[in-house]
């Protein structure tokens, strides 16, 4: 790694910036071994007060043009601008080794997103000079609708990307439609997509219908994030009826922080019963209440394919929690169950205590976020911090 270290120092001199000491330390610690991952996330302890600047990113990218060892680069939370994104885009075009780039939590706008999209819009991976990047994380950047539209258009021609994170990027109606249209009509290689926390003014039937249409025709997507989409009960029913029930590839679905009420219970029951490929379902921070929990409890013992269920903060009371606890006794296939943030009373606490004690005695490896305990004959539930 001495050659890369010397080249990086030289490039920093050319760009009139100080070398990133954290990277120099990592390269020195490698002691002749190949460094395959560069970790320069600004929210780390060593970089929190001395984050990476865009000129240092330019120097790093030029130093990596001909590198054949580094496969992963993490530049998240560094307040990087569009100039840094342009340097990364050039690296994507030139380098044939880097597979993972994390640019989350920076200040990249639609200008930088367009540069990245252009770099990834070249010929497919199997063709000479085509992009080879497989994972691109852009969550938390102010890409806005224009930037997301550019990335959506890129997906029509790109066949190397397997994961794209666009959560909290200011995506609007046109951006979501662009991405969904590309995945429904052209792209069959992307397997993980996060469209969470878009900028939508109230519930949008247009985006829901486009997502459903995409799900009905796409066969490659396995992980889908739709948190904070403002999904109402009717919109969720549309998504399930015309999209999810016609899809046979999505194994992980994130529906956190939507507007699902107890009326979505029957739709959830139908989704769990008919989507045999669904392994993970996140319903945290909705308002499913007791009736929604009862619907899920009816399905849990029979959905042998479901492995992870997140029901945190869903306004579930005693009746729903007792039903879920009883269902857990028969849902031996479940590996993770999160339920903190609901209203645990004496009956629910006792039911959870008895159920989790029984599963532990049976040797079932169930991961939970609560710790039931008993004091003076009365059951209580506490948050489990591990």
């Amino acid at each position: 790694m001495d050659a890369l270290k010397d080249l990086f120092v030289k490039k920093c001199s050319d760009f009139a910036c100080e070398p990133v000491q954290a990277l120099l330390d990592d390269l020195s610690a490698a002691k002749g071994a190949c460094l395959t991952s560069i970790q320069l996330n600004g929210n780390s302890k060593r970089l929190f007060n001395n984050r990476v600047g865009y000129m240092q990113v330019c120097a790093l990218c030029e130093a990596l043009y001909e590198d054949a060892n580094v496969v992963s680069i993490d530049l998240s939370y560094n307040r990087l601008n569009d100039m840094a994104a342009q340097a990364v885009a050039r690296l994507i075009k030139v380098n044939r080794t880097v597979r993972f780039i994390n640019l989350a939590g920076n200040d990249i706008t639609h200008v930088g997103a367009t540069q990245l999209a252009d770099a990834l819009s070249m010929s497919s991976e199997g063709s000479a000079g085509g992009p080879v990047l497989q994972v691109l994380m852009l969550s938390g950047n102010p890409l806005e609708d224009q930037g997301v539209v550019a990335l959506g258009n890129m997906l029509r021609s790109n066949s190397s990307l397997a994961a794209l994170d666009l959560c909290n990027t200011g995506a609007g109606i046109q951006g979501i439609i662009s991405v969904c249209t590309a995945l429904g009509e052209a792209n069959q290689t992307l397997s993980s997509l996060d469209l969470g926390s878009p900028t939508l003014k109230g519930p949008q039937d247009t985006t829901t219908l486009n997502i459903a249409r995409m799900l009905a025709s796409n066969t490659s997507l396995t992980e889908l994030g739709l948190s904070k989409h403002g999904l109402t009960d009717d919109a969720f029913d549309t998504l399930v009826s015309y999209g999810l029930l016609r899809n046979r590839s999505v194994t992980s679905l994130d529906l956190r922080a939507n507007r699902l009420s107890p009326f979505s219970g029957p739709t959830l029951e139908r989704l769990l019963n008919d989507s045999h490929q669904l392994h993970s379902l996140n319903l945290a921070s909705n308002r499913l209440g007791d009736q929604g929990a009862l619907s899920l409890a009816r399905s849990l013992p029979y959905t042998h394919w479901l492995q992870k269920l997140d029901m945190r903060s869903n306004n579930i009371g005693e009746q729903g929690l007792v039903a879920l606890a009883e269902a857990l006794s028969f849902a031996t296939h479940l590996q993770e169950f999160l339920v903190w943030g609901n209203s645990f009373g004496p009956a629910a606490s006792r039911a959870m205590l008895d159920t989790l004690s029984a599963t532990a005695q049976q040797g079932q490896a169930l991961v939970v976020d609560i710790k039931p305990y008993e004091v003076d004959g009365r059951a209580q539930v506490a948050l489990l911090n591990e």
Side-chain angles (χ1 to χ4, degrees):
M1 288 284 100
D2 290 340
L4 178 58
K5 180 179 179 181
D6 294 340
L7 182 57
F8 176 56
V9 172
K10 180 180 181 303
K11 292 295 182 181
C12 286
S13 176
D14 293 343
F15 281 95
C17 62
E18 289 293 324
V20 183
Q21 188 59 46
L23 178 56
L24 297 180
D25 294 341
D26 291 343
L27 291 171
S28 299
K31 296 180 179 179
C34 294
L35 187 68
T36 60
S37 178
I38 293 179
Q39 295 288 333
L40 295 176
N41 49 308
N43 59 348
S44 62
K45 183 178 180 180
R46 61 179 185 169
L47 286 173
F48 192 82
N49 293 316
N50 190 24
R51 308 201 183 200
V52 180
Y54 73 91
M55 296 299 285
Q56 293 167 318
V57 172
C58 294
L60 172 62
C61 289
E62 289 201 6
L64 291 173
Y65 279 171
E66 299 181 3
D67 182 81
N69 297 314
V70 175
V71 298
S72 173
I73 303 174
D74 188 347
L75 294 169
S76 57
Y77 302 102
N78 281 296
R79 306 188 189 95
L80 300 178
N81 58 18
D82 293 324
M83 292 185 66
Q86 183 176 6
V88 172
R90 176 62 181 166
L91 176 66
I92 292 172
K93 289 183 178 180
V94 175
N95 185 279
R96 311 299 302 163
T97 309
V98 176
R99 297 293 191 273
F100 176 98
I101 294 180
N102 188 351
L103 293 171
N106 285 295
D107 294 327
I108 300 171
T109 70
H110 67 276
V111 177
T114 302
Q115 296 282 348
L116 293 169
D118 289 343
L120 289 165
S121 294
M122 301 167 67
S123 55
S124 63
E125 182 178 356
S127 303
V132 298
L133 189 70
Q134 296 177 355
V135 179
L136 179 61
M137 317 292 284
L138 290 170
S139 60
N141 283 282
L143 307 182
E144 304 299 335
D145 222 13
Q146 187 176 349
V148 178
V149 167
L151 291 166
N153 293 333
M154 170 273 296
L155 289 173
R156 289 182 170 274
S157 60
N158 179 279
S159 61
S160 68
L161 272 184
L164 179 61
D165 189 349
L166 296 175
C167 180
N168 192 27
T169 55
I173 297 175
Q174 295 303 319
I176 293 175
I177 291 176
S178 175
V179 172
C180 291
T181 303
L183 291 177
E185 297 179 355
N187 188 295
Q188 293 293 333
T189 55
L190 194 74
S191 60
S192 177
L193 174 66
D194 194 341
L195 285 174
S197 196
T199 303
L200 300 175
K201 297 180 180 179
Q204 296 290 340
D205 294 338
T206 304
T207 56
T208 303
L209 287 171
N210 275 272
I211 295 171
R213 189 180 298 118
M214 176 270 291
L215 288 170
S217 58
N218 185 276
T219 59
S220 65
L221 208 59
T222 59
E223 299 180 11
L224 179 61
L226 298 175
S227 61
K228 298 185 180 180
H229 266 247
L231 287 176
T232 60
D233 298 321
D234 290 338
F236 180 56
D237 184 71
T238 299
L239 184 66
V240 171
S241 300
Y242 298 101
L244 289 167
L245 292 183
R246 300 183 182 186
N247 181 280
R248 288 294 176 264
S249 63
V250 173
T251 61
S252 177
L253 182 62
D254 184 356
L255 296 172
R256 287 175 297 131
N258 279 288
R259 300 178 181 178
L260 305 185
S261 77
F263 293 108
S264 286
T267 307
L268 281 169
E269 194 172 352
R270 187 155 50 101
L271 173 65
L272 288 179
N273 290 336
D274 294 342
S275 297
H276 295 185
Q277 81 284 352
L278 191 61
H279 296 162
S280 176
L281 180 60
N282 191 339
L283 296 168
S285 300
N286 281 284
R287 304 290 289 178
L288 292 174
D290 285 335
Q291 294 304 312
L294 287 171
S295 296
L296 288 169
R298 284 193 293 268
S299 297
L300 274 183
Y302 309 104
T303 54
H304 303 292
W305 42 89
L306 189 66
Q307 298 174 1
K308 298 180 180 180
L309 179 62
D310 191 339
M311 294 290 294
R312 289 175 294 177
S313 302
N314 259 285
N315 197 35
I316 304 174
E318 289 276 78
Q319 183 183 14
L321 290 170
V322 169
L324 287 171
E326 293 175 351
L328 283 179
S329 302
F330 303 97
T332 55
H333 53 277
L334 206 60
Q335 299 176 7
E336 182 175 296
F337 179 66
L338 307 180
V339 73
W340 179 256
N342 293 294
S343 302
F344 283 92
S349 299
R350 173 59 63 183
M352 285 293 177
L353 177 61
D354 294 342
T355 296
L356 294 180
S357 299
T359 56
Q361 291 175 0
Q362 295 168 4
Q364 181 182 349
L366 178 63
V367 176
V368 294
D369 63 339
I370 58 173
K371 177 67 175 178
Y373 61 98
E374 189 173 8
V375 177
D376 294 333
R378 180 171 179 173
Q380 302 283 350
V381 170
L383 176 64
L384 181 62
N385 289 318
E386 289 187 357

